Amino acid sequence: MRYWHGHGHVLGGWGIGVMAILTLLVLLVLVLAAIALFRYVSRSRRPLPHGPAGPGAAGPGSGSAASGAAGPGWGAPHGAVAGPTPEQLLAERFARGEIDTEEYRHRLDTLRSVNGPGDG
């Protein structure tokens, strides 16, 4: 009868190195999976906007009779709440004092122009 006394399972220099690299790779995959899960969960829990929900507040495709669209916002699923419009964001910047009256009026005129921004 032959006794191994543990000598048959000893790792050599390469075995220890490969095991260390594989351990680091497994840890890296676990960390990346945790980061991806955290980002996914934090993206799905954004607070709902608290702006007015009247007609035209959601922008193009808000479901009004003039647009003929069935869903709110730009391709949002039915029943979803659209975010603030560009005009609302501009008004918030003006209210916080980030832009002056002249810049506010210029940007508002650009947003409301028929051709949109960039087509002057």
Coordinates of all heavy atoms in Angstrom, one line a residue, residues 43-78:
R43 N -29.8 54.2 -11.2 CA -30.4 54.8 -12.3 C -31.9 54.6 -12.3 O -32.6 55.4 -12.7 CB -29.8 54.2 -13.6 CG -29.3 55.2 -14.5 CD -28.8 54.6 -15.8 NE -27.6 53.8 -15.6 CZ -27.3 52.8 -16.3 NH1 -28.0 52.4 -17.4 NH2 -26.2 52.1 -16.1
S44 N -32.4 53.5 -11.8 CA -33.8 53.2 -11.8 C -34.5 53.9 -10.7 O -35.8 53.9 -10.6 CB -34.0 51.7 -11.7 OG -33.6 51.2 -10.5
R45 N -33.8 54.5 -9.7 CA -34.5 55.2 -8.6 C -34.3 56.7 -8.7 O -34.2 57.3 -7.6 CB -33.9 54.7 -7.3 CG -34.2 53.3 -7.0 CD -33.8 52.9 -5.6 NE -34.2 51.5 -5.4 CZ -34.0 50.9 -4.2 NH1 -33.6 51.6 -3.2 NH2 -34.4 49.7 -4.0
R46 N -34.3 57.3 -9.9 CA -34.3 58.7 -10.0 C -35.6 59.3 -9.5 O -36.7 58.8 -9.7 CB -34.0 59.1 -11.4 CG -32.7 58.8 -11.9 CD -32.4 59.4 -13.2 NE -31.0 59.1 -13.6 CZ -30.6 59.1 -14.9 NH1 -31.4 59.4 -15.8 NH2 -29.4 58.8 -15.1
P47 N -35.5 60.5 -8.8 CA -36.7 61.1 -8.4 C -37.6 61.6 -9.5 O -37.0 62.0 -10.6 CB -36.3 62.3 -7.5 CG -34.9 62.5 -8.0 CD -34.3 61.2 -8.5
L48 N -38.9 61.6 -9.4 CA -39.8 62.1 -10.4 C -39.7 63.6 -10.4 O -39.6 64.3 -9.4 CB -41.2 61.6 -10.1 CG -41.4 60.1 -10.2 CD1 -42.8 59.8 -9.8 CD2 -41.1 59.6 -11.6
P49 N -39.8 64.2 -11.6 CA -39.8 65.7 -11.7 C -41.1 66.2 -11.1 O -42.1 65.6 -11.1 CB -39.7 66.0 -13.2 CG -40.2 64.7 -13.9 CD -39.9 63.6 -12.9
H50 N -41.0 67.4 -10.5 CA -42.2 68.0 -9.9 C -42.7 69.2 -10.6 O -43.3 70.1 -10.0 CB -41.8 68.4 -8.4 CG -40.6 69.3 -8.3 ND1 -39.4 68.8 -8.4 CD2 -40.5 70.6 -8.2 CE1 -38.5 69.8 -8.3 NE2 -39.2 70.9 -8.2
G51 N -42.5 69.3 -11.9 CA -43.0 70.4 -12.7 C -44.5 70.3 -13.0 O -45.1 69.3 -12.7
P52 N -45.0 71.3 -13.7 CA -46.4 71.2 -14.1 C -46.7 70.1 -15.1 O -45.9 69.8 -15.9 CB -46.7 72.6 -14.7 CG -45.4 73.1 -15.2 CD -44.4 72.5 -14.2
A53 N -47.8 69.5 -15.0 CA -48.2 68.3 -15.9 C -49.3 68.7 -16.8 O -50.0 67.9 -17.3 CB -48.6 67.1 -15.0
G54 N -49.4 70.0 -17.2 CA -50.4 70.4 -18.1 C -50.1 70.1 -19.5 O -49.0 69.5 -19.8
P55 N -51.0 70.4 -20.5 CA -50.7 70.1 -21.9 C -49.5 70.8 -22.4 O -49.4 72.0 -22.1 CB -52.0 70.5 -22.6 CG -52.9 71.1 -21.6 CD -52.3 70.9 -20.3
G56 N -48.7 70.2 -23.1 CA -47.5 70.8 -23.6 C -46.3 70.8 -22.7 O -45.2 71.2 -23.1
A57 N -46.5 70.4 -21.4 CA -45.4 70.5 -20.5 C -44.3 69.4 -20.7 O -43.2 69.5 -20.3 CB -45.9 70.3 -19.0
A58 N -44.8 68.3 -21.4 CA -43.8 67.2 -21.6 C -43.1 67.3 -22.9 O -42.3 66.5 -23.3 CB -44.6 65.9 -21.6
G59 N -43.3 68.4 -23.7 CA -42.6 68.6 -25.0 C -43.3 67.9 -26.1 O -44.4 67.5 -26.0
P60 N -42.6 67.7 -27.2 CA -43.2 67.0 -28.4 C -43.6 65.6 -28.1 O -42.9 64.9 -27.3 CB -42.0 67.0 -29.4 CG -41.1 68.1 -29.0 CD -41.2 68.2 -27.5
G61 N -44.7 65.2 -28.6 CA -45.2 63.9 -28.4 C -45.8 63.7 -27.0 O -45.8 62.6 -26.5
S62 N -46.4 64.7 -26.4 CA -46.9 64.6 -25.1 C -48.3 64.1 -25.0 O -48.9 64.0 -24.0 CB -46.8 66.0 -24.4 OG -47.7 66.9 -25.1
G63 N -48.8 63.7 -26.1 CA -50.2 63.1 -26.1 C -51.3 64.1 -26.4 O -52.4 63.8 -26.3
S64 N -50.9 65.3 -26.8 CA -51.9 66.3 -27.1 C -52.6 66.0 -28.4 O -52.0 65.3 -29.3 CB -51.3 67.7 -27.1 OG -50.4 67.9 -28.1
A65 N -53.7 66.6 -28.7 CA -54.4 66.4 -29.9 C -53.7 66.9 -31.1 O -53.7 66.4 -32.2 CB -55.8 67.0 -29.9
A66 N -52.9 68.0 -30.9 CA -52.2 68.6 -32.0 C -51.0 67.7 -32.5 O -50.7 67.6 -33.7 CB -51.6 69.9 -31.6
S67 N -50.4 67.0 -31.6 CA -49.3 66.1 -32.0 C -49.7 64.8 -32.5 O -49.0 64.1 -33.3 CB -48.3 66.0 -30.8 OG -48.9 65.2 -29.8
G68 N -50.9 64.3 -32.1 CA -51.4 63.0 -32.5 C -50.6 61.8 -31.9 O -50.8 60.7 -32.3
A69 N -49.7 62.0 -30.9 CA -49.0 60.9 -30.3 C -49.8 60.3 -29.2 O -50.6 61.0 -28.6 CB -47.6 61.5 -29.8
A70 N -49.4 59.1 -28.9 CA -50.2 58.4 -27.8 C -49.5 58.4 -26.5 O -50.1 58.2 -25.5 CB -50.4 56.9 -28.3
G71 N -48.1 58.5 -26.5 CA -47.4 58.4 -25.2 C -46.8 59.7 -24.8 O -46.6 60.6 -25.6
P72 N -46.4 59.8 -23.5 CA -45.8 61.0 -23.0 C -44.4 61.1 -23.3 O -43.7 60.1 -23.3 CB -46.1 60.9 -21.5 CG -46.1 59.5 -21.2 CD -46.7 58.8 -22.5
G73 N -43.9 62.3 -23.5 CA -42.4 62.5 -23.7 C -41.9 61.9 -25.0 O -42.7 61.6 -25.9
W74 N -40.6 61.9 -25.2 CA -40.0 61.5 -26.4 C -39.8 60.0 -26.4 O -38.7 59.4 -25.9 CB -38.6 62.1 -26.6 CG -38.7 63.6 -26.8 CD1 -39.0 64.2 -28.0 CD2 -38.6 64.7 -25.9 NE1 -39.0 65.5 -27.9 CE2 -38.8 65.9 -26.6 CE3 -38.4 64.7 -24.5 CZ2 -38.8 67.1 -26.0 CZ3 -38.4 65.9 -23.9 CH2 -38.6 67.1 -24.6
G75 N -40.7 59.2 -26.8 CA -40.6 57.7 -26.8 C -40.7 57.0 -25.5 O -40.3 55.9 -25.4
A76 N -41.2 57.7 -24.5 CA -41.3 57.1 -23.1 C -42.4 56.2 -23.2 O -43.4 56.3 -23.9 CB -41.5 58.2 -22.1
P77 N -42.4 55.1 -22.4 CA -43.5 54.2 -22.3 C -44.8 54.8 -21.8 O -44.7 55.8 -21.0 CB -43.0 53.1 -21.4 CG -41.7 53.5 -20.8 CD -41.3 54.7 -21.5
H78 N -45.9 54.3 -22.1 CA -47.2 54.9 -21.7 C -47.3 54.9 -20.2 O -47.0 53.9 -19.6 CB -48.3 54.0 -22.3 CG -49.7 54.7 -22.1 ND1 -50.1 55.8 -22.6 CD2 -50.7 54.3 -21.3 CE1 -51.3 56.1 -22.2 NE2 -51.7 55.2 -21.4

